[in-house]
Amino acid sequence: MVTLWFVLLGVLFAGYFALAGADYGTALLMRAAPPERRREVLAATGPFFLGNEVWLVAAVGVLFGAFPRLEGELLSALYPVLVALLVALIGYTAAVQLRGRWHAGAKAGWDALIVGGAGIVAVGWGVFLGALLNGLPLDADGHRSGSLFSPVAVVSGLAFAALVAVHGAVFLTWRSTVDVRRLVPVLSRAAAVLVGAVVALAAVGVTGVEPLIAVPGAVAVIALVLVAPRLSPARATLCTGLACGLPVLVIGAARWPVALASTADPAGTLTVAEAAAGPATLGVLVWFAALVLPLVAAFQGMCWWAFRGDRRPVFW
């Protein structure tokens, strides 16, 4: 049961990164479009925007309910990153919703908030994943005892932002008439180099990671972003979406059975079994998952079906 919930947690976060990554990636590229066409950039993800965020809500719900100790230690150890993520998410979401309701002179400010918020979110999630890969300086009581910004975490932040940017570029090419095709090869190579840098840094300074899982996983991510410029926009979007979602699954599998590694004190390492709620709680949560997860999937499917092939600027 614990393994099942851990896999489900990873799948939900992977789904969120793969789907909402297109939202953040297109926002990062708003400045590449002329001012009069930036509405089209937001319109490309407009029909899917709220549906993509539901995956994060579901993932956080599973984290809080099924892994309460992991949630507590993550909030304690990574609170600077998580606070920045929360503030950026609120600012980005508000700016997307409000941009079209103000006069033209105010749109430049909203655009800056959209781009800045999306950038902080993308880098913040990358730092979060890098910290999980590298481990955190936790003592035996689970309290942070040093800096969480390791070289692996910092480069992971940049790598994830590059993955999100290339995902946004191919998504815009597919779902809009805004021409950013020229950026796809450049962003793909940048993402591949940065992911390779994360692997190199991890190989030198990270212990407790299974290389037979981590290395093929990283190679798969690099291959997906490098092949994307050679494919049709729809297939390229599928590849870059997988590249955005795959890291969380690779890190979880490569660190198994550790949920949160300690770089300061081995006694501070938290295993998946230790992080999980009791069997009775997990059994009750099965009913929650059986009700909510099909609704999340159905809502996502409805959005994509309703707006299949539509490239009109219908929102904002």
Side-chain angles (χ1 to χ4, degrees), residues 32-272:
E36 67 275 9
R37 302 201 64 190
R38 289 174 185 170
R39 180 171 177 267
E40 276 191 70
V41 174
L42 294 180
T45 56
F48 318 108
F49 178 74
L50 294 178
N52 294 341
E53 300 297 327
V54 169
W55 287 80
L56 177 59
V57 176
V60 171
V62 170
L63 177 63
F64 273 63
F67 298 97
R69 187 176 173 190
L70 175 60
E71 166 263 321
E73 296 200 7
L74 283 175
L75 289 179
S76 173
L78 290 169
Y79 72 88
V81 174
L82 296 177
V83 168
L85 274 170
L86 180 60
V87 172
L89 274 171
I90 293 172
Y92 162 76
T93 303
V96 169
Q97 300 285 350
L98 295 174
R99 180 183 185 274
R101 305 180 184 221
W102 292 71
H103 58 82
K107 288 184 177 178
W110 292 117
D111 289 350
L113 185 54
I114 289 170
V115 175
I120 292 173
V121 170
V123 173
W125 280 123
V127 171
F128 179 86
L129 292 174
L132 293 181
L133 173 63
N134 181 76
L136 291 167
L138 303 173
D139 59 24
D141 296 324
H143 301 304
R144 195 175 82 235
S145 57
S147 174
L148 58 90
F149 294 102
S150 65
V152 171
V154 172
V155 178
S156 292
L158 299 176
F160 193 73
L163 288 174
V164 165
V166 69
H167 189 27
V170 297
F171 187 86
L172 274 178
T173 302
W174 176 36
R175 295 288 305 183
S176 79
T177 57
V178 177
D179 185 12
V180 293
R181 188 184 296 267
R182 69 191 183 281
L183 299 177
V184 175
V186 176
L187 293 172
S188 295
R189 289 192 292 269
V193 169
L194 287 167
V195 171
V198 173
V199 175
L201 288 170
V204 172
V206 178
T207 59
V209 175
E210 176 52 64
L212 295 179
I213 296 175
V215 174
V219 170
V221 172
I222 292 172
L224 286 168
V225 294
L226 289 180
V227 78
R230 304 174 182 273
L231 303 176
S232 67
R235 292 180 179 178
T237 300
L238 177 61
C239 285
T240 53
L242 289 172
C244 288
L246 193 56
V248 67
L249 300 178
V250 172
I251 291 171
R255 273 293 185 187
W256 177 266
V258 172
L260 191 59
S262 171
T263 58
D265 181 358
T269 294
L270 183 68
T271 67
V272 173

